[in-house]
Every structure is written in structure tokens, then in C-alpha cells.
Amino acid sequence: MRDQAFVAAALALLVASSAAAHEPTVSLDPTAALRTSQAAVGREIGERRLRDIGGRPVNLARYRGKPLVVNLVYTACSDTCPVIVQSLARAVETAQSALGRDRFAVVTIGFDSRTDTPERMRAFARAQGIDLPNWEFLSADHTTVDALTEELGFIYFASPNGIDHLAQVSVIDASGRVYTQVY
């Protein structure tokens, strides 16, 4: 429980400080989005099968036993998603320094199943300069993305700008339940 609380606090402080300087132009209903996201707290995340940047299968259940930070992006985003990932990287470095590198894991998952392939996720990670231990970039098919975003309370939709989405990072506890949401 202590690790989850520390990870959540570090994420909240560091992500919020960077995101405040970069307001997204997302046209979400903030009240409904927050309600949907908060309703996911306590919800168990299923044993979803995804693919790593090498195309190998990865089951989310393999991360059970320690906190997991889940960040959803789409690789065609050149604005908000890179800022969120770079802010998250600073938070992860701080948390790893305080807790130890092996105390929690991080996954960034592409939610645009049409284009967020393992190759695109690899290129996105490289473009963001992410090379931290216990951080993987994953992709999934449409059915898996839909189920996972529902479980996480993550909202996204097609828009004239591409895809609009909630700027959310989820902290999953050691038993696989949503512990908290960081915006």
C-alpha cells in the first residue's frame, strides 16, 4: 500500500506541474469524464493480452504483485501524448529513485489499435527518450483496447483533431485493481 501511495503522489505532483503549463484543447465534458474515470477506482483489470514492441504477447496479469502505472496514448499525437509521457518519465525517475527500480512497473499502451502497432510504439518510446527499467510500450487489438479503456474509465473519441481523450494515468495496485487516477 505504501508503494502505491508514493507512486500516486509522485505522479500527481510531477505530471500536474508539467500538464498545467500545457492545456490540451480537448472538448470533453469534464464532469462526465471525471465521473467515468473515478468510477473505475477499485475495479479489477482483466487479464488482457497485448503485444510488446517486439510483437511478443504480454498478459497484463504478469504485472500483479506490485503497483503498475498505466498510461494510454496514441502514437499519431504530436501534442498532448508526448507531453504526458515526458512528464510521466520525470515522475517515474523520481519514484524509482525513492522506492527502487523494481518496486513498480509502468506500461504505456497505444489505444488507436489501427495504427499503434508494436513498431509504432517502439518508435514513439524512442522519440520520447524513454529508456527506463520496468517500463514497457504495448499495443493491442480493438476489442482489447475497448475492454481495457472501459475497465480504466479512460475516455477517447474521434474528433476533427484526430482523437480527443482524457489525460489520465492510472495506478493499479498489486492485486490488479485501480488504486487511483492521476490527471
Side-chain angles (χ1 to χ4, degrees):
M1 187 71 129
R2 179 183 163 273
D3 288 354
Q4 284 124 217
F6 184 85
V7 170
L11 293 174
L13 290 173
L14 293 167
V15 172
S17 67
S18 295
H22 182 79
E23 289 295 321
T25 57
V26 176
S27 57
L28 292 171
D29 174 349
T31 303
L34 183 61
R35 186 174 31 251
T36 299
S37 177
Q38 286 298 303
V41 174
R43 191 176 294 156
E44 185 172 355
I45 302 305
E47 296 186 18
R48 305 283 166 223
R49 186 178 171 139
L50 299 101
R51 292 176 293 150
D52 68 12
I53 59 173
R56 295 174 295 272
V58 173
N59 192 316
L60 283 182
R62 88 177 203 192
Y63 297 102
R64 299 254 167 100
K66 59 185 171 183
L68 174 66
V69 176
V70 179
N71 160 240
L72 294 148
V73 300
Y74 74 104
T75 59
C77 179
S78 61
D79 192 358
T80 304
C81 292
V83 170
I84 293 168
V85 169
Q86 291 166 12
S87 299
L88 180 58
R90 288 190 296 278
V92 168
E93 287 174 336
T94 299
Q96 285 181 344
S97 176
L99 296 172
R101 292 177 163 188
D102 296 328
R103 297 299 296 246
F104 66 97
V106 182
V107 294
T108 294
I109 302 169
F111 64 84
D112 183 2
S113 59
R114 292 173 300 129
T115 60
D116 292 341
T117 62
E119 298 79 20
R120 291 281 300 262
M121 294 305 292
R122 181 183 322 109
F124 184 82
R126 190 177 313 118
Q128 304 317 309
I130 306 301
D131 186 25
L132 293 170
N134 298 313
W135 188 337
E136 292 189 75
F137 284 73
L138 307 172
S139 61
D141 61 62
H142 182 72
T143 302
T144 301
V145 168
D146 280 353
L148 183 59
T149 58
E150 174 75 21
E151 290 169 345
L152 293 172
F154 180 80
I155 296 173
Y156 71 99
F157 56 92
S159 76
N161 299 327
I163 300 176
D164 286 343
H165 59 91
L166 186 61
Q168 166 184 310
V169 175
S170 301
V171 178
I172 312 304
D173 69 16
S175 65
R177 295 190 179 279
V178 177
Y179 176 77
T180 194
Q181 309 282 31
V182 180
Y183 309 101

